[in-house]
Amino acid sequence: MKQIASMSALLVAVSLLSLSQLGCQPAPDTNRSASTPASATPEMVDTAGIESELLRIENDWPRVMREKDVIAVKSVEADDGIFIRPDGTVVTKAEDVKDMEGGAVTADSFEMAELKAKVLDKDAAVVSGITIINGGKYKMPDGKTIDISGQYRFIDTFARREGKWQVVAGISVKAPATSASPAAKASPAASVSPVAAAASPAVRPSPTMKPSPVMRPSPAATRSPLPKVTPQ
């Protein structure tokens, strides 16, 4: 009995010692968050460089149209591009190229005005502006010729693919022509003055505006030519 009592006492002592050691262990730190990787450095976007390149492409349209540069159209327009003309007609790159090769669009002059580029990220941007066509004609598939002279406001969406900027979508609408400013009126006192009030000159397009290559046909056209011929 004495041995059994001694053994029981020993077991109790061992149990108490074990519990004591467990109680001394520090509680796990639940406030310690998992290590977070250092934040990646934001990618730098050369906004000025992108804007300059896209404006160069748009300002080159007059030359493309004048020289019927089919190679430029094939390079700038994306193969899967979608383009909407002023009359709502949806055309593809293949149709634009066909019109260019066939000389369907002719004009005395093409001009580009109010060009603005907006960079979305390093591979996407949009350009808006006005294409002005003077003495423009478009030859329809049936042989008829329609007048496409006028001003067209457009937006081109660009995407950089394999390092090259291409137009993946574009839309053009007929815009009202710039109206002449009213003549200046003489003040009441001028009625007794022999000097007549000078009329202000009519508003003319800025000389810096360049011809727009991609003019799209007016809404009245059965199959509107491309108001702003895209050399994409």
Side-chain angles (χ1 to χ4, degrees):
M1 290 293 293
K2 187 176 181 179
Q3 291 178 345
I4 293 175
S6 298
M7 183 64 70
S8 299
L10 180 60
L11 290 174
V12 171
V14 171
S15 298
L16 291 174
L17 179 61
S18 298
L19 291 173
S20 175
Q21 290 178 342
L22 289 173
C24 293
Q25 291 181 355
D29 185 0
T30 58
N31 295 321
R32 186 175 300 169
S33 59
S35 59
T36 56
S39 58
T41 303
E43 184 176 18
M44 298 299 292
V45 178
D46 182 10
T47 302
I50 294 174
E51 290 178 349
S52 178
E53 173 62 11
L54 298 184
L55 294 180
R56 181 196 68 76
I57 292 174
E58 294 288 8
N59 275 317
D60 192 41
W61 277 116
R63 179 199 66 78
V64 171
M65 296 300 297
R66 182 176 62 255
E67 300 177 4
K68 295 179 173 53
D69 190 347
V70 177
I71 294 178
V73 176
K74 290 181 178 179
S75 175
V76 177
E77 287 191 354
D79 291 341
D80 57 351
I82 297 177
F83 311 102
I84 301 177
R85 294 176 176 174
D87 63 348
T89 303
V90 178
V91 296
T92 63
K93 171 182 178 177
E95 291 173 285
D96 274 351
V97 170
K98 182 179 179 180
D99 279 345
M100 177 70 74
E101 292 177 330
V105 179
T106 59
D108 294 337
S109 69
F110 291 94
E111 297 179 9
M112 302 297 286
E114 300 184 19
L115 291 178
K116 295 180 181 179
K118 181 177 180 59
V119 178
L120 304 179
D121 60 40
K122 67 182 184 67
D123 295 317
V126 295
V127 175
S128 64
I130 294 177
T131 299
I132 304 171
I133 299 179
N134 295 310
K137 302 294 182 183
Y138 178 76
K139 187 176 182 179
M140 305 285 285
D142 60 5
K144 294 182 179 179
T145 300
I146 62 173
D147 186 356
I148 58 170
S149 300
Q151 296 187 11
Y152 300 83
R153 203 169 273 284
F154 71 88
I155 292 181
D156 284 337
T157 300
F158 284 82
R160 177 154 52 185
R161 296 175 172 178
E162 298 180 354
K164 181 173 67 175
W165 286 100
Q166 292 188 308
V167 179
V168 295
I171 183 170
S172 178
V173 298
K174 191 70 179 288
T178 304
S179 58
S181 61
K185 296 181 180 180
S187 61
S191 57
V192 295
S193 170
V195 181
S200 61
V203 177
R204 295 187 177 83
S206 167
T208 58
M209 296 189 303
K210 300 181 180 179
S212 150
V214 201
M215 285 317 299
R216 289 168 190 166
S218 64
T222 306
R223 176 180 179 281
S224 142
L226 34 173
K228 169 183 176 273
V229 178
T230 51
Q232 291 71 305

